[in-house]
Amino acid sequence: MPALSERDIKKIIIALAVYLASLFAANTLGLKIMPFILGLHVSVAVFSFPFVFLTTDVIGEVYGKRMAKLFVLAGFVATSLFVLYSFLSLALPWDPAGEWVHASYNTVFGISLRIAIASLVAFAIAEYQDVISFFFFRKWFGETNFWIRSNLSNLWSQFLDTILFMVIAFAGVYPTPVLIRIIISWWLFKAAMGFIYTPLSYLGLRLLREKT
């Protein structure tokens, strides 16, 4: 990992903020599904979650594998704390003044807790796989063609993440045929969104490499 200037540290902190915000948006808003083509369904998290994988690719490209793994570790720790806080919040008793939102709160955040646990498991496998596969393709293709390396690693890691996350988070919540359609459409849509977001990756690379 290269020596970091104060400017580099500020950029990394901002990138980490984008990374964690995208992760938590996916974890908390991902329960909502919307209709997709051919009768398929897709979670609204497809708009935020691709940024999670793209950010580690961009950070890894500029600052190396070690920094990318630190981002993954930060996401894992943050999600673990969210799970802990959620357990605590759901376990504490309700004051009668808050009963009007009791049932809705437990329904939404109880499921969000399950989503967070699913995200932890998916993180432990898919995100590290993304970093490993990105640098594998970097050795294969060299330091050029970032968009190919990024999209290939994302295609594989998003596949793992989608299956692990959706089965753990939503098995029993949605009927199995619906869940299968969500998995297929979500994976394809996330991969497509990652490809569409590629120009933003190059913008991120330019901003991180900019010295002035």
Side-chain angles (χ1 to χ4, degrees), residues 34-42 177 181-182 184-185 188:
M34 58 184 182
F36 194 49
I37 59 174
L38 303 176
L40 299 175
H41 307 83
V42 68
R181 291 198 295 271
I182 293 174
I184 294 172
S185 57
L188 294 176

Side-chain angles (χ1 to χ4, degrees), residues 15 18-27 29-30 34 42-59 71-72 119 123 126-127 130-131 134 146 150-155 157-159 161-162 165 185-202:
V18 172
Y19 179 79
L20 293 177
S22 301
L23 174 62
F24 278 91
N27 285 345
L29 304 177
M34 58 184 182
V42 68
S43 167
V44 297
V46 296
F47 296 106
S48 59
F49 203 63
F51 278 109
V52 176
F53 289 86
L54 290 176
T55 302
T56 53
D57 289 347
V58 171
I59 284 293
F71 267 57
V72 177
S119 181
F123 237 83
E127 267 284 61
D130 180 60
V131 174
F134 176 80
F146 169 83
S150 179
N151 281 285
L152 284 176
S153 64
N154 286 343
L155 192 67
S157 57
Q158 294 276 22
F159 176 73
D161 180 82
T162 302
F165 179 80
S185 57
W186 195 16
W187 173 50
L188 294 176
F189 198 81
K190 284 195 298 183
M193 291 299 292
F195 181 78
I196 293 171
Y197 287 173
T198 298
L200 295 178
S201 297
Y202 277 93

Side-chain angles (χ1 to χ4, degrees), residues 65-80:
K65 182 188 288 189
R66 184 181 176 188
M67 182 62 73
K69 287 185 175 181
L70 285 175
F71 267 57
V72 177
L73 179 60
F76 185 85
V77 170
T79 305
S80 299

